[in-house]
Amino acid sequence: MMQHRPSSAFNSPFWTTNSGAPIWNNNSSLTVGPRGPILLEDYHLVEKLANFDRERIPERVVHARGASAKGFFEVTHDISQLTCADFLRAPGVQTPVIVRFSTVIHERGSPETLRDPRGFAVKFYTREGNFDLVGNNFPVFFIRDGMKFPDMVHALKPNPKSHIQENWRILDFFSHHPESLHMFTFLFDDLGVPQDYRHMEGSGVNTYTLINKAGKAHYVKFHWKPTCGVKCLLEEEAIKVGGSNHSHATQDLYDSIAAGNYPEWKLFIQTIDPDHEQRFDFDPLDVTKTWPEDILPLQPVGRLVLNKNIDNFFAENEQLAFCPAIVVPGIYYSDDKLLQTRVFSYSDTQRHRLGPNYLQLPANAPKCAHHNNHHEGFMNFMHRDEEINYFPSRYDASRHAERFPIPPALCTGKREKCIIEKENNFKQPGERYRSWAPDRQERFINRWVDALSDPRVTHEIRSIWITCWSQVECFFLIIRDGHMIQADKSLGQKLASRLNARPSI
């Protein structure tokens, strides 16, 4: 029997499930038609995410390093024509919140000055249950399909053999995913190391859906803008700050609130009528894309104020748990492929990390009245003295709530694993790069030269990246006086020159 002992050796010519079944597509989730929604019957996807969610205990697999604070959200502008969400019903309405900021990839004790995306997660304790808006400080993401999330994190995490984070692993993986270019224009930009959490933007990243009382649905993206402005640390500053204090951002947040200097963000939204989405040259549900603000302007909604520090770090930071699946009436999911997988994965990993009753923990429990027949299980501490634990019953007055609208879209299409049709991977990264001042472009190039100079980055991988950045720079041409001209010298050419390399053909 020892010959069948599991091994990590590459002893199969193709990918398989844990049970040995061959996998013909390890890149795309099974959806109804090209855009979704994703099907629960995609066993390979569920197995892949479930295994990934359980890789580490008790530290979070990602977002391990974090800091939390409490406060309130206040509506300042009426958007009741867009949503029937109770906590957004009218200006002046306040809702208690708890917010967790975090780094993404590195361990719990790592310096907060490392170049890394930052998490920006807000839990609203509304009268209709909790709403978790789980996002980052960047408005886009590396990948668009959750099937690739475990692979992506593995590539970004330290080498499993040496436990050292290495550029060659990151560049190897993302060389297969040109949709990541847009995210890298944020990560390798000056924004890649925020000065602290107070001077950092936030974004819901994924596309959600707002539904009004009449049942009309609009796609929506959420954006947090700090009232004190955005500030970042350049390399020399980050080294200086991180060398003296690994917890500088956590301390800044705590000290600012303690001193009465309460951090504040404005919440804005962008919306798209699903009936009009075809006018864009990209898929609005693609998380590697931003929505152009000149066409879809930011609409003000409210303000977020953090005015109270947490009382206990373990109870209100380590045990604090978020999940994009936790929404309220008036806010729903979209067919955004990454969101569809996050709806499953986040709650699954929390049940593993904290137990099946993690929503009973004070930081995660709703503040409104709630009742269901979920009981027993590990670490259950809810007081129950009812004899009726089933539904319906003539001995129990509990009933269904009033029906609320959800998007009425009709799902049609073949079961298939496929990429979205309008990838358009190069236009937005090029526009973003060309919008920078020359010194900012130069710092961006230098960071890429440093990353691509890793001795284990092969000539093939280096050439692929140079080609990708060449396409980013040359893809979008400006029409001036009736003639198409290139915006400026190619980013790819600059990289090739400094690395003494050539683009891949």
Side-chain angles (χ1 to χ4, degrees):
M1 294 296 294
M2 291 299 291
Q3 63 179 318
H4 299 295
R5 179 181 178 184
S7 170
S8 62
F10 293 101
N11 53 8
S12 170
F14 44 74
W15 290 103
T16 72
T17 63
N18 286 344
S19 61
I23 298 169
W24 71 270
N25 186 336
N26 190 34
N27 289 319
S28 302
S29 306
L30 185 64
T31 59
V32 179
R35 296 182 68 195
I38 289 172
L39 296 175
L40 186 61
E41 70 182 62
D42 191 346
Y43 172 78
H44 167 47
L45 171 69
V46 173
E47 177 187 84
K48 186 174 181 179
L49 292 174
N51 276 266
F52 172 73
D53 292 342
R54 290 162 173 79
E55 283 185 359
R56 287 169 176 79
I57 54 172
E59 182 175 289
R60 288 171 169 88
V61 177
V62 289
H63 298 277
R65 172 64 133 129
S68 303
K70 295 182 283 190
F72 65 89
F73 173 78
E74 180 181 12
V75 179
T76 56
H77 292 73
D78 184 8
I79 61 167
S80 58
Q81 78 281 6
L82 292 171
T83 177
C84 59
D86 177 74
F87 80 102
L88 297 173
R89 63 189 178 274
V93 173
Q94 290 191 356
T95 301
V97 300
I98 187 168
V99 180
R100 187 175 189 268
F101 306 101
S102 57
T103 57
V104 176
I105 293 300
H106 304 284
E107 291 94 338
R108 191 159 54 191
S110 57
E112 292 179 311
T113 50
L114 297 177
R115 185 169 297 275
D116 194 21
R118 267 47 173 187
F120 194 124
V122 184
K123 187 183 293 291
F124 299 80
Y125 299 105
T126 87
R127 302 193 306 182
E128 294 182 313
N130 293 350
F131 169 46
D132 287 358
L133 183 55
V134 192
N136 288 335
N137 63 322
F138 302 147
V140 294
F141 202 60
F142 292 103
I143 54 171
R144 57 170 68 99
D145 193 315
M147 179 67 83
K148 302 310 300 175
F149 190 77
D151 299 300
M152 180 200 75
V153 174
H154 285 168
L156 290 166
K157 285 282 190 180
N159 186 321
K161 186 174 181 178
S162 63
H163 200 65
I164 299 172
Q165 189 184 37
E166 296 167 319
N167 282 330
W168 67 268
R169 290 164 41 81
I170 299 170
L171 297 176
D172 174 32
F173 174 76
F174 286 113
S175 70
H176 298 274
H177 298 281
E179 68 267 29
S180 67
L181 292 170
H182 200 186
M183 180 67 164
F184 277 113
T185 65
F186 287 87
L187 183 62
F188 276 33
D189 181 25
D190 295 347
L191 296 176
V193 184
Q195 176 177 293
D196 48 59
Y197 295 131
R198 292 185 298 122
H199 293 88
M200 184 179 81
E201 292 184 329
S203 171
V205 183
N206 292 112
T207 301
Y208 285 83
T209 306
L210 296 180
I211 311 100
N212 64 18
K213 292 180 180 179
K216 175 60 180 176
H218 285 83
Y219 293 143
V220 62
K221 281 187 178 289
F222 297 95
H223 303 275
W224 298 106
K225 303 291 184 181
T227 58
C228 59
V230 175
K231 295 182 180 179
C232 308
L233 297 175
L234 299 183
E235 279 75 2
E236 298 78 9
E237 298 169 312
I239 293 172
K240 181 179 179 180
V241 171
S244 60
N245 185 358
H246 279 198
S247 302
H248 83 283
T250 297
Q251 183 172 356
D252 174 83
L253 179 67
Y254 189 93
D255 290 350
S256 296
I257 295 174
N261 182 21
Y262 302 141
E264 181 174 334
W265 289 260
K266 303 293 186 183
L267 176 64
F268 296 86
I269 59 172
Q270 291 175 288
T271 60
I272 293 178
D273 187 329
D275 295 334
H276 302 154
E277 63 172 290
Q278 296 303 322
R279 64 185 174 128
F280 299 101
D281 60 1
F282 61 92
D283 190 326
L285 305 188
D286 180 355
V287 294
T288 68
K289 303 294 186 291
T290 54
W291 294 357
E293 294 182 15
D294 57 337
I295 301 174
L296 303 167
L298 296 176
Q299 305 174 51
V301 177
R303 67 188 188 114
L304 169 70
V305 179
L306 299 181
N307 58 5
K308 188 177 188 304
N309 280 311
I310 56 177
D311 299 308
N312 181 273
F313 182 81
F314 181 78
E316 295 179 298
N317 186 78
E318 295 305 289
Q319 288 190 321
L320 183 59
F322 294 88
C323 176
I326 297 179
V327 295
V328 292
I331 301 176
Y332 203 68
Y333 324 118
S334 73
D335 289 342
D336 173 342
K337 287 190 176 185
L338 190 68
L339 176 60
Q340 290 267 316
T341 48
R342 292 177 79 204
V343 164
F344 161 76
S345 183
Y346 276 61
S347 57
D348 185 56
T349 195
Q350 302 296 8
R351 292 185 186 104
H352 168 64
R353 189 174 68 89
L354 298 171
N357 292 300
Y358 77 96
L359 289 176
Q360 292 182 18
L361 293 166
N364 304 319
K367 308 304 182 189
C368 62
H370 57 289
H371 173 73
N372 55 51
N373 290 325
H374 300 166
H375 62 98
E376 319 299 354
F378 293 111
M379 299 184 69
N380 186 298
F381 54 90
M382 179 179 288
H383 173 72
R384 300 186 67 97
D385 57 9
E386 303 96 339
E387 293 182 294
I388 306 302
N389 60 353
Y390 51 86
F391 180 90
S393 169
R394 292 183 173 87
Y395 296 95
D396 187 347
S398 298
R399 55 184 172 80
H400 285 124
E402 293 185 12
R403 185 173 181 175
F404 53 86
I406 62 173
L410 178 65
C411 296
T412 61
K414 299 181 296 183
R415 291 186 180 94
E416 53 186 333
K417 287 177 175 280
C418 57
I419 60 175
I420 66 170
E421 295 177 349
K422 289 193 280 189
E423 290 191 85
N424 205 352
N425 294 322
F426 304 106
K427 180 182 177 181
Q428 290 192 2
E431 291 174 334
R432 179 171 165 76
Y433 172 78
R434 288 189 294 274
S435 72
W436 297 336
D439 59 332
R440 189 169 175 180
Q441 291 182 348
E442 180 68 16
R443 289 191 293 270
F444 180 78
I445 292 171
N446 288 338
R447 292 174 189 125
W448 271 101
V449 170
D450 181 65
L452 291 167
S453 297
D454 186 311
R456 292 193 64 179
V457 172
T458 65
H459 173 74
E460 178 188 14
I461 294 173
R462 190 175 292 118
S463 297
I464 289 172
W465 278 106
I466 292 172
T467 299
C468 283
W469 286 119
S470 297
Q471 289 179 274
V472 160
E473 185 61 19
C474 299
F475 183 85
F476 184 62
L477 302 178
I478 296 176
I479 298 178
R480 183 177 297 163
D481 298 328
H483 300 283
M484 297 184 70
I485 61 172
Q486 188 172 315
D488 52 36
K489 291 183 179 180
S490 168
L491 166 58
Q493 289 178 352
K494 293 177 182 178
L495 286 173
S497 174
R498 298 189 192 189
L499 292 164
N500 194 26
R502 300 175 61 184
S504 175
I505 303 300

